[in-house]
Amino acid sequence: MNRDNVGIALFFVIVAFILTMTILMSMFFGINRYISDRKSKIPMYVFCKSSCKKTEVEKLSNKIMEKKGIVKVRIISKEEAFKDMASKFSIDKELFGDNPFPYSLELLFEPKYTNKNSFTKFANNLKKNPYVEDVNFPLKFLQNMEDVKRKVNILGESILTILYIVEFIVFVSIISVLYSHKKEDFDTLKFFGIKRSKILGLFLKNTFSPAIFAFFASIIFIFLIYNLYDKYANIYYINKELFKDSLKTTFVLNIVIGVLFTFFSSLFVFTVKDEKV
Amino acid sequence: MVEFIDVYKKFKDKTVLNGLSFRIIPNTMNQIVGEQSSGKSTILKMIYGAVKPDRGFIRAFDANVSNLKYSGIVLLRRYLGIIFEDIRLIKGLTVRENISIIIKMTKRDLYFSEEIFDILSIGHLLDKYPRELSLSEQSLVNIVRGVVFSFPLVLADEPLRYLSLDYKRKVIELFKYLNKEKGITFLIASQTVLDDDFNVIFIGDNE
């Protein structure tokens, strides 16, 4: 591999690094946001006492709305509950003399409050309210969602960490090959009284030149990928705004990581391989 | 200008220098003559601090090279013109850049003896890259790089190895001219005596 080829290899390694990590991270964030979104749609039901009047239920609803983490409170009227239940179970309404259902409330929470602990705490507090008969929420489903989110996080973070480590090793290896090709030139310069700090500057220039081209090339590739996604692969659950946001954030993050990787691997290689000849 | 007193150097099991002593006086033409692997290059490398002696004293200008720290060696090298045996041109730079990088990277405003390009007829090579040059042309550029800034001491390791007879004569004449006109001191390592006017230090079996 001659020195120009090493530069080209470094260019493609950096482009591949930025694209792979950006797309993987975007997918990871996308899935994470989707799970959070689904979690935030898990409701909590508050059943009022049968003696409660509409004004009292509204009062309770307003009081709950003021609480931290609440996104939405919907009052379910006695009629609505009865109608809903009758249609769900195909019950003949005429069989009932009175409407047996009480007023109830459907509560929706912010994603970070949609977990077992917050729900249990919130429900226990509500149960102390004199208008509240009972509080109910899908505990099992909530636990499952939390479990899925935790597993996705662990898996995603592990994959990303391993990939970052592998990428750093690849950076060090390629830059190490680049240094080996330049070593004779650097030693020659030292024989003419050029300081090692200047040589390091020269070496950084050699590693950053392909890196800078790679950063610009990545911008073009990411732009193309985004447009392709927008045009042909707009997945319903991961909408383009979400994808665009993740892509932007992770792209900038990976450019920064790419710069840091280039700098630190160059510094590492120079420290290990450069000699005081 | 350069002094070796009782210098020893051993590489693994082979003793290369065994109590070598000599002195180089400023403004003279000097030669180290010895067979292959007799330690000629080692002597030159010791002067510019690339090889440390096992024992003994080495002086270059007013510095004790054998005890000099690396920063001091770097500084010392700025007053030396070095002609390498293995040429060592920087491949990614043109001939002109190969020569000017020495002053560019040390930020010095050095006098550039352009007449040397004419003497050795290499003016037309200045914008070419080393890969575009023949071995003898590369060798000439290596020689020019060592002498073009008129450093007070030039260390030349087998400078004539890749040159034709005609060019060998031209280069020796150039060295003599620079010594006479600019007072440059030369220390040339070679296997044979190049000129009867040179002071000769024999090493190895010829010692």
Side-chain angles (χ1 to χ4, degrees), chain B residues 53-109:
Chain B
D54 296 334
R55 193 146 54 92
F57 173 83
I58 300 167
R59 181 176 65 85
F61 301 106
D62 289 325
N64 177 358
V65 185
S66 31
N67 283 342
L68 216 52
K69 284 184 180 170
Y70 188 70
S71 55
I73 286 170
V74 170
L75 204 65
L76 167 76
R77 286 172 182 170
R78 294 187 181 187
Y79 298 94
L80 300 174
I82 305 173
I83 298 165
F84 299 100
E85 184 182 12
D86 51 353
I87 300 175
R88 301 187 82 112
L89 294 181
I90 295 165
K91 294 165 199 78
L93 302 179
T94 62
V95 169
R96 192 190 300 277
E97 289 164 343
N98 257 286
I99 293 165
S100 61
I101 194 166
I102 298 169
I103 45 173
K104 199 177 154 191
M105 289 198 77
T106 50
K107 288 183 181 163
R108 287 180 295 174
D109 192 16

Side-chain angles (χ1 to χ4, degrees), chain B:
Chain B
M1 183 163 257
V2 174
E3 194 171 9
F4 273 52
I5 301 174
D6 209 19
V7 174
Y8 288 81
K9 184 69 191 176
K10 203 173 173 182
F11 290 110
K12 291 182 180 168
D13 295 333
K14 194 188 176 196
T15 302
V16 181
L17 304 178
N18 195 7
L20 179 73
S21 299
F22 68 86
R23 181 184 285 175
I24 303 289
I25 298 161
N27 199 13
T28 53
M29 297 294 294
N30 307 275
Q31 238 198 295
I32 304 167
V33 176
E35 288 168 1
Q36 205 165 351
S37 307
S38 58
K40 304 183 295 294
S41 301
T42 306
I43 293 169
L44 298 187
K45 283 176 184 169
M46 280 177 170
I47 297 170
Y48 61 81
V51 173
K52 290 253 176 209
D54 296 334
R55 193 146 54 92
F57 173 83
I58 300 167
R59 181 176 65 85
F61 301 106
D62 289 325
N64 177 358
V65 185
S66 31
N67 283 342
L68 216 52
K69 284 184 180 170
Y70 188 70
S71 55
I73 286 170
V74 170
L75 204 65
L76 167 76
R77 286 172 182 170
R78 294 187 181 187
Y79 298 94
L80 300 174
I82 305 173
I83 298 165
F84 299 100
E85 184 182 12
D86 51 353
I87 300 175
R88 301 187 82 112
L89 294 181
I90 295 165
K91 294 165 199 78
L93 302 179
T94 62
V95 169
R96 192 190 300 277
E97 289 164 343
N98 257 286
I99 293 165
S100 61
I101 194 166
I102 298 169
I103 45 173
K104 199 177 154 191
M105 289 198 77
T106 50
K107 288 183 181 163
R108 287 180 295 174
D109 192 16
L110 296 172
Y111 174 70
F112 207 89
S113 309
E114 283 190 40
E115 74 269 21
I116 293 171
F117 298 132
D118 299 329
I119 295 171
L120 293 182
S121 324
I122 65 154
H124 64 292
L125 304 176
L126 287 175
D127 294 319
K128 290 190 174 180
Y129 286 92
R131 63 175 179 273
E132 298 170 303
L133 308 179
S134 68
L135 196 57
S136 58
E137 285 172 332
Q138 288 183 35
S139 182
L140 287 173
V141 175
N142 177 31
I143 290 164
V144 169
R145 184 177 56 179
V147 298
V148 77
F149 298 111
S150 306
F151 290 125
L153 174 64
V154 171
L155 305 171
D157 196 355
E158 300 274 12
L160 312 179
R161 173 177 274 195
Y162 303 106
L163 301 180
S164 63
L165 272 174
D166 185 36
Y167 266 107
K168 278 181 182 168
R169 193 181 43 77
K170 270 189 182 179
V171 169
I172 292 170
E173 287 309 312
L174 172 71
F175 286 174
K176 286 169 112 176
Y177 163 79
L178 291 171
N179 171 253
K180 193 177 170 191
E181 296 299 318
K182 306 197 180 216
I184 298 173
T185 307
F186 281 85
L187 180 57
I188 305 159
S190 67
Q191 292 187 33
T192 54
V193 177
L194 300 175
D195 194 287
D196 294 337
D197 295 339
F198 294 176
N199 304 318
V200 181
I201 303 154
F202 289 103
I203 61 162
D205 294 340
N206 301 321
E207 199 171 351

Side-chain angles (χ1 to χ4, degrees), chain A residues 257-275:
Chain A
I257 294 172
V259 171
L260 292 175
F261 270 24
T262 311
F263 179 73
F264 283 113
S265 44
S266 304
L267 213 59
F268 176 76
V269 168
F270 192 83
T271 310
V272 171
K273 298 196 100 177
D274 193 68
E275 296 166 319

Side-chain angles (χ1 to χ4, degrees), chain A residues 8-63:
Chain A
I8 292 167
L10 185 61
F11 168 85
F12 281 110
V13 163
I14 295 172
V15 169
F17 161 77
I18 293 172
L19 294 186
T20 313
M21 299 313 282
T22 301
I23 291 166
L24 266 175
M25 280 178 94
S26 301
M27 285 168 73
F28 172 61
F29 285 139
I31 292 167
N32 220 322
R33 288 269 291 269
Y34 172 68
I35 294 169
S36 296
D37 195 44
R38 296 300 295 171
K39 262 181 75 190
S40 69
K41 285 188 177 126
I42 298 175
M44 178 186 278
Y45 291 103
V46 180
F47 299 99
C48 300
K49 285 188 174 153
S50 51
S51 57
C52 274
K53 291 175 186 151
K54 196 180 177 189
T55 49
E56 289 167 337
V57 175
E58 279 169 352
K59 210 169 143 191
L60 176 65
S61 163
N62 291 337
K63 202 176 166 189

